Amino acid sequence: MKALMSVGALVGAIALLLLVGMILDVVPSNTVRLVEGYMPIQMLVEVACFVVGFAGLSYMLSSMGMAVPRFWQGIGFWAFVLLYLKFRVYPPIPFSVRAMYGTVSLVAVFMWVSANEDDWKKFKQPIMNVLDAQSGANKMLRYAYLVLIPVLVGFTSFNAMKPTSEEPVELRTVHPAPPASTKVHGKTYTLQTSQNPYRVNPEGKFDQEYSNKLIVEQGMGRLMAPNANPWDEKNQGYLKYVKEGGEIFFQNCHFCHGDNLNGRGLHAFAFNPIPANFTDPGTIAQLQETFIFWRVAKGGIGLPNEGFPWASVMPPWEQHLTVDEIWKVILFEYWHTGYYPRTWD
Amino acid sequence: MRKKMMNTSMGKKAGIVLASAFGLALFSAGPLVLSASAEEVPQGFKKGELAPEPAADMIEAGKRVYFTKCVWCHGVDGAGDGPGADRLWPRPRNFNQGTFKIRHTASGELPLFDAKKPTPGQNDLFETVTHGLPGSAMPSWEGILTEEQRLQVLSFVTTQLVKDRKFTDKQSESQTILQMADLKPKEATEESKKRGSELIVEKKCVECHGMEGRGDGNAFNLKDDWGFSIQPANWHKCWNFRGSRQDPYNVKNIFRTFSTGVNGTPMPSFADSTSVDDRWDIANFVNSLCERDAQGNPLSIDPQTDKPKVNFVLPSNPVEGEIPTDIENEAWQKTQKRLIAMGGQITHKPRNFVNRIDDLWVRSLYNEKSIVYLIEWDDRTKSVAEGKLPWAPTQVNIDVKEQDPKTGEEGSIAAHQNNYAVYNDAVAIETPVKWQDLPAPIKPRYLFGSNEQYPVDIVKWEADGSLRAFKGTGWDKDFEERDSYEENLKILKSEWKNGRWYVMIQRPVGNKKDQDYDEDTLFEMGKYIPTVFFAWDGHNGDAGRKMAVSAFYYTFMQPPTPREVYIYPFVIAGGIVLLEAWVLTRRANKRKGKTL
């Protein structure tokens, strides 16, 4: 038992040291990576480790005759939860969420310290001692609290009431519902049945399989597939159109959407929100090719009123590009990011 | 995981290379020193060895990287003539001649590149690809291409696309390397900076870079080796320094550029004529000019755009009585200055692909009747239009060819550069009318107004001294001039000095009683009033919709702190005292009751 508890105490001490390091910014808060997808489990395990560690620590301390009063255990654990959420979790979580977790853990700590009459008494004891002020130290504490609490509350309420100017939060819809059909350059396109006329094999037939084979490699630093260079002059079909689409992209779109299609173009810094990042799996990889066609052709101004709020300064590209050019640009965007457009079925 | 493995194998390789290099150095140190002193190497430099040719498989792999990522700007032959090139300014590099700007090598020499050594300070081309060239369209490829891919593509570029020179030819190439690691920066004391400020006059830096270092010296007469127009660096925007390596406030970058010169441009190397000590003084002074916040700290730079981070709320401070017109006045000095990021207007004809104004600095004050914007921005030339303008400065979608002719053909963007009809420099503030009523989906369409129902109110100042009011009713409509409103507007100041405009514009805040609510913006205190800025550079042919635009900012007229803020906290604190007294009395009574 004792050995087990000392292991726990060791774990606790190390974990606490790490957390203190993170708070003081000596240890970067992403030292031990929180793994995407496993993050909740990883955090649960970590917190469990801490709990074991704390139990061990408190056992060791009390066996050495330096028991921590229940009151400070409760307060300490709550403070730990708040600090853990603020300094350990990376990327940082917003204050409102932390406040929610903080409240929940406060309630939990309360339930723990008031589980039975005896514990509750132990917990209250320090408070009562200060209220009664029987000893000199407690008297001092009582006076200090008498002054400190009103000052602190007054100061916080002053800060809360003082007018501040922070950018108002505006929610936005990123992918508003598309219409059933759209009219571009006088011709109506039914979005459900239209397809990219340039996704064709060298014989000029629509061929999804053929273009899939020539799409760039997946993964970081996506590159063209071996022996599928769009700049090859002998190209026919899909790859030839990818090159033409790329030319249009780099003459019109990359100023905002970036050389790497990641929304970080030459002028992107001036935008709020910044332009769409096509390499993000949440954008074109989730959408049908016809949706992109509609968005490119109509721009931010063509977005439907039903879908608001949204924020887009993209111009209606039908004013600058022909229908063919729009389809080619879309072809290029999928080729360059290595994504496949979603289909309707 | 894969990346990690690559790193360790890379590390091992680098280790072996380093170890053998060290061994070599031990044996050859004696003769090297001798030959170095014999050949008169500039102070701070040392002779170096040419790197070996990259392996054939690396070159082959690099070709795939090049034809996926780079070809679009740099072109099939690496001549800097890809499909994007004609619309970029500065233009993409032409690799053929082997002329590279950012180096640790002496002027005219090839940059450092070793396909096996991605070590900072010892591989110029690798660092350029890794960190990009801020202030141009060249992005940072770190995180997009792996370290290996970056080395591969450079192997391809240096062996296949650099055609006039050879990186491994010992007959024609030499390497004289700036020993940056051995040179400790001199402390940036007042004395050092003062000496630097004298040296930039003595060394004639000011002839190109201007008296205040805003790049306004020979601003519109400079050309690079290929005849394309370029401009001297603006020392106040260090985040646009091409070789800043995403660490713009680091004085070492300036020292390096100054020591090695910028190949292909009129910027020479000062290594032969200036001692290391003097070079640090100059670098310290130039570095001290870069914009900083009110406390003197460097601005925080967004690593993904290499530009300062932007705050979209523009606070306007209240003033009792008259608004001061003197910038040195305390009221202005105490007001927060906001950076307004500007992009080129490339969505409506005529499109501005070669935008030369990339930011404004704006401050604002208001009193009961008016609001004043103080706008400052760097513009290398003071431009005032002469005679009749070929097209009205408020026109849109004028007849320009959709696709500009290619470089070399008549009428191309490159041919136009520095050769435009000169228009007025100008700046405008746009605020929506009836912004209080705008339904949500209408909101983002403020740029030039949505429609007749929800117009925008545009106040435009021009360098000829005019201040005019316009109504904007849509993206593709010309501004409509509002004749009667101008008497309400006032220019409090407009001055161009050493490459910077200072313009102070006053307009009424309006009130519900005697204001035409349907035509003028009503400025309300404590509300977020959407505000957009436009700027025109007259020497860049900017007029009408060829201009720089900002995103939507918010003018926020800070309310004077309400009296309640000073009263309620005391009331609350008093309440807490009462509560404490109640708890204590109750406890005392309880104890008494118990003991009794």
Side-chain angles (χ1 to χ4, degrees):
Chain A
M1 183 67 183
K2 192 160 185 188
L4 211 67
M5 279 303 179
S6 29
V7 171
L10 194 68
V11 171
I14 293 171
L16 266 183
L17 275 179
L18 268 177
L19 186 69
V20 169
M22 281 168 190
I23 292 167
L24 298 178
D25 216 9
V26 188
V27 184
S29 51
N30 53 356
T31 311
V32 184
R33 280 282 166 95
L34 289 171
V35 184
E36 212 176 314
Y38 295 99
M39 196 171 118
I41 298 190
Q42 199 183 342
M43 275 177 65
L44 278 179
V45 171
E46 262 185 47
V47 174
C49 268
F50 269 109
V51 170
V52 169
F54 290 154
L57 270 182
S58 99
Y59 176 85
M60 292 301 284
L61 285 175
S62 62
S63 71
M64 285 191 290
M66 300 190 296
V68 182
R70 185 48 63 88
F71 178 72
W72 290 115
Q73 282 184 355
I75 298 226
F77 188 71
W78 188 56
F80 157 76
V81 171
L82 295 185
L83 291 174
Y84 179 85
L85 290 173
K86 179 153 175 32
F87 291 100
R88 167 64 178 117
V89 185
Y90 189 90
I93 38 180
F95 176 76
S96 53
V97 179
R98 274 189 281 130
M100 262 158 55
Y101 287 140
T103 316
V104 171
S105 51
L106 185 67
V107 171
V109 167
F110 229 82
M111 282 163 70
W112 167 46
V113 295
S114 60
N116 56 55
E117 190 64 27
D118 215 32
D119 278 357
W120 180 233
K121 236 185 206 150
K122 266 197 225 158
F123 178 76
K124 305 199 287 200
Q125 201 53 52
I127 305 178
M128 292 305 160
N129 287 347
V130 172
L131 281 180
D132 296 343
Q134 299 288 352
S135 68
N138 277 336
K139 215 169 219 164
M140 290 291 289
L141 266 181
R142 190 166 80 169
Y143 284 127
Y145 282 133
L146 275 179
V147 178
L148 270 180
I149 295 177
V151 168
L152 217 71
V153 171
F155 190 73
T156 345
S157 53
F158 174 76
N159 264 342
M161 289 171 77
K162 212 172 56 181
T164 54
S165 57
E166 267 166 40
E167 194 182 337
V169 180
E170 277 181 0
L171 297 171
R172 58 189 273 261
T173 311
V174 181
H175 302 310
S181 66
T182 184
K183 198 171 176 182
V184 182
H185 287 294
K187 210 181 145 199
T188 305
Y189 294 84
T190 311
L191 296 192
Q192 283 218 33
T193 53
S194 298
Q195 45 186 213
N196 193 332
Y198 294 103
R199 217 168 257 289
V200 292
N201 58 24
E203 283 81 53
K205 283 221 178 84
F206 183 86
D207 191 342
Q208 183 76 46
E209 282 310 304
Y210 176 76
S211 63
N212 284 356
K213 251 184 275 164
L214 298 178
I215 220 144
V216 299
E217 287 170 22
Q218 294 282 338
M220 183 177 150
R222 295 178 177 88
L223 299 183
M224 63 190 194
N227 306 318
N229 186 347
W231 288 84
D232 192 334
E233 279 170 13
K234 285 173 284 181
N235 282 336
Q236 286 301 317
Y238 175 74
L239 273 184
K240 180 169 165 256
Y241 299 125
V242 163
K243 186 197 131 197
E244 288 170 19
E247 287 177 349
I248 298 156
F249 182 90
F250 275 86
Q251 278 163 359
N252 296 284
C253 319
H254 98 276
F255 300 92
C256 297
H257 292 288
D259 304 65
N260 201 48
L261 284 63
N262 58 0
R264 290 293 187 164
L266 193 54
H267 297 312
F269 74 103
F271 289 103
N272 180 27
I274 61 157
N277 172 1
F278 300 144
T279 60
D280 183 316
T283 58
I284 62 169
Q286 276 201 5
L287 300 166
Q288 296 90 15
E289 228 169 353
T290 48
F291 182 97
I292 318 280
F293 176 75
W294 163 67
R295 283 290 278 119
V296 173
K298 298 298 173 188
I301 286 168
L303 283 164
N305 280 2
E306 309 84 74
F308 77 86
W310 34 254
S312 165
V313 289
M314 185 156 92
W317 282 101
E318 59 177 340
Q319 294 179 4
H320 298 277
L321 304 176
T322 64
V323 170
D324 292 344
E325 285 172 329
I326 295 175
W327 281 123
K328 283 176 191 168
V329 163
I330 296 167
L331 202 69
F332 169 77
E333 285 169 5
Y334 282 104
W335 173 84
H336 195 277
T337 54
Y339 292 131
Y340 306 99
R342 229 163 131 183
T343 47
W344 279 98
D345 40 55
Chain B
M1 203 61 200
R2 222 174 105 196
K3 192 187 159 204
K4 246 187 192 164
M5 273 169 60
M6 209 114 71
N7 275 342
T8 49
S9 74
M10 221 57 181
K12 256 185 211 158
K13 265 187 217 163
I16 293 167
V17 170
L18 265 179
S20 49
F22 185 68
L24 261 179
L26 270 183
F27 285 109
S28 55
L32 249 182
V33 171
L34 278 179
S35 67
S37 56
E39 270 184 50
E40 281 281 326
V41 170
Q43 214 184 337
F45 284 77
K46 251 186 205 161
K47 279 278 164 206
E49 293 282 327
L50 294 178
E53 178 145 326
D57 61 327
M58 273 195 97
I59 298 173
E60 196 47 41
K63 190 175 172 186
R64 276 177 68 205
V65 183
Y66 186 85
F67 278 97
T68 317
K69 307 284 186 189
C70 318
V71 64
W72 309 102
C73 292
H74 292 287
V76 177
D77 274 330
D81 60 352
D86 276 330
R87 293 180 176 192
L88 290 175
W89 181 81
R91 283 178 71 91
R93 181 90 329 207
N94 178 343
F95 300 132
N96 295 166
Q97 293 78 16
T99 307
F100 294 91
K101 285 180 173 176
I102 312 301
R103 295 159 295 103
H104 278 89
T105 53
S107 188
E109 289 186 347
L110 288 169
L112 299 178
F113 171 68
D114 186 337
K116 287 182 182 150
K117 204 161 76 175
T119 320
Q122 298 180 31
N123 200 327
D124 294 326
L125 294 182
F126 178 76
E127 279 185 84
T128 294
V129 173
T130 300
H131 301 302
L133 292 170
S136 81
M138 175 78 174
S140 153
W141 292 96
E142 191 176 21
I144 292 168
L145 297 173
T146 62
E147 194 171 276
E148 196 169 20
Q149 285 171 338
R150 279 173 264 155
L151 291 170
Q152 286 167 346
V153 75
L154 284 166
S155 304
F156 175 72
V157 169
T158 52
T159 55
Q160 307 294 305
L161 300 181
V162 173
K163 298 183 175 177
D164 299 354
R165 300 173 75 168
K166 208 163 180 322
F167 273 70
T168 48
D169 185 356
K170 285 195 179 136
Q171 302 295 314
S172 60
E173 302 300 341
S174 61
Q175 300 258 268
T176 317
I177 304 163
L178 179 64
Q179 301 295 306
M180 207 65 223
D182 299 343
L183 297 165
K184 271 236 170 72
K186 191 172 164 184
E187 207 186 324
T189 56
E190 286 308 312
E191 196 192 346
S192 165
K193 284 187 268 186
K194 189 167 168 287
R195 174 92 183 108
S197 70
E198 290 159 8
L199 279 166
I200 60 149
V201 180
E202 203 178 292
K203 302 279 173 192
K204 302 206 168 79
C205 306
V206 292
E207 281 189 7
C208 288
H209 291 279
M211 289 310 289
E212 287 181 19
R214 298 190 189 275
D216 57 316
N218 277 312
F220 269 85
N221 301 319
L222 294 179
K223 289 198 160 43
D224 66 11
D225 281 4
W226 298 270
F228 297 121
S229 101
I230 50 169
Q231 292 182 338
N234 180 343
W235 294 340
H236 296 257
K237 301 185 186 184
C238 54
W239 52 88
N240 280 348
F241 287 175
R242 235 66 89 211
S244 67
R245 308 271 203 243
Q246 300 198 307
D247 187 12
Y249 289 90
N250 190 339
V251 69
K252 285 187 167 189
N253 296 320
I254 303 164
F255 182 92
R256 186 201 57 236
T257 303
F258 189 68
S259 297
T260 62
V262 182
N263 283 356
T265 78
M267 171 80 182
S269 154
F270 285 81
D272 291 323
S273 56
T274 316
S275 70
V276 165
D277 199 56
D278 281 357
R279 276 183 251 158
W280 281 123
D281 288 336
I282 293 174
N284 281 336
F285 173 69
V286 170
N287 191 39
S288 74
L289 292 181
C290 193
E291 289 283 356
R292 285 167 167 79
D293 69 9
Q295 284 79 44
N297 299 316
L299 305 177
S300 59
I301 304 284
D302 180 344
Q304 290 200 276
T305 55
D306 298 324
K307 302 273 191 179
K309 284 186 184 145
V310 180
N311 184 324
F312 289 93
V313 177
L314 173 63
S316 182
N317 284 356
V319 176
E320 296 272 337
E322 283 290 296
I323 295 173
T325 55
D326 175 18
I327 298 177
E328 297 307 316
N329 188 288
E330 201 196 348
W332 282 115
Q333 292 297 322
K334 273 167 70 183
T335 308
Q336 207 149 35
K337 218 167 153 185
R338 281 282 196 254
L339 179 89
I340 311 287
M342 306 293 283
Q345 192 289 107
I346 57 163
T347 58
H348 271 68
K349 287 187 269 183
R351 301 159 80 184
N352 186 13
F353 290 109
V354 287
N355 180 34
R356 300 216 178 191
I357 301 175
D358 62 353
D359 55 40
L360 312 174
W361 286 94
V362 180
R363 278 178 269 185
S364 177
L365 292 175
Y366 75 96
N367 63 14
E368 278 170 11
K369 289 209 171 94
S370 345
I371 180 163
V372 177
Y373 288 92
L374 166 56
I375 310 173
E376 297 168 53
W377 73 99
D378 289 358
D379 181 338
R380 289 172 167 90
T381 46
K382 178 180 182 178
S383 328
V384 183
E386 280 171 32
K388 198 169 173 284
L389 298 174
W391 48 291
T394 55
Q395 254 173 298
V396 66
N397 282 355
I398 56 159
D399 188 28
V400 284
K401 284 201 189 74
E402 185 41 57
Q403 184 73 40
D404 295 289
K406 286 208 163 97
T407 301
E409 294 169 18
E410 205 180 327
S412 71
I413 289 181
H416 262 315
Q417 291 271 295
N418 300 351
N419 206 11
Y420 285 107
V422 174
Y423 299 109
N424 287 323
D425 284 337
V427 76
I429 308 165
E430 179 195 270
T431 44
V433 177
K434 295 187 277 186
W435 52 269
Q436 296 90 335
D437 304 351
L438 281 171
I442 305 282
K443 257 186 128 187
R445 299 183 197 168
Y446 288 151
L447 238 45
F448 315 117
S450 302
N451 47 41
E452 284 290 340
Q453 199 192 349
Y454 293 109
V456 290
D457 181 335
I458 295 159
V459 172
K460 185 181 181 190
W461 165 92
E462 290 193 33
D464 60 7
S466 65
L467 187 60
R468 288 185 289 171
F470 298 95
K471 183 168 108 175
T473 53
W475 257 110
D476 42 4
K477 302 212 188 74
D478 297 342
F479 298 161
E480 287 167 46
E481 188 142 12
R482 296 174 58 198
D483 297 324
S484 57
Y485 195 65
E486 274 140 36
E487 56 211 51
N488 297 316
L489 309 174
K490 219 165 154 189
I491 308 173
L492 299 184
K493 182 185 184 69
S494 69
E495 188 189 11
W496 185 88
K497 215 175 87 198
N498 288 328
R500 192 169 176 91
W501 272 109
Y502 303 83
V503 175
M504 217 184 268
I505 298 171
Q506 176 182 305
R507 60 162 298 152
V509 291
N511 56 58
K512 282 213 170 100
K513 202 162 58 188
D514 48 30
Q515 190 198 26
D516 189 346
Y517 183 69
D518 291 338
E519 282 187 28
D520 308 337
T521 306
L522 173 62
F523 283 76
E524 279 184 71
M525 196 170 64
K527 296 279 172 61
Y528 294 91
I529 305 156
T531 313
V532 174
F533 295 89
F534 305 133
W536 290 261
D537 175 3
H539 263 80
N540 194 33
D542 289 6
R545 295 291 156 89
K546 183 165 186 280
M547 59 176 166
V549 292
S550 80
F552 312 107
Y553 285 72
Y554 296 101
T555 300
F556 184 80
M557 294 158 71
Q558 303 214 330
T561 315
R563 209 167 295 156
E564 296 88 66
V565 174
Y566 297 106
I567 299 171
Y568 284 144
F570 282 102
V571 175
I572 293 169
I576 298 285
V577 172
L578 288 181
L579 197 73
E580 283 174 345
W582 178 75
V583 170
L584 283 179
T585 345
R586 197 157 170 266
R587 177 70 189 159
N589 284 342
K590 211 173 170 188
R591 277 181 58 82
K592 257 183 222 158
K594 260 187 186 169
T595 44
L596 272 173

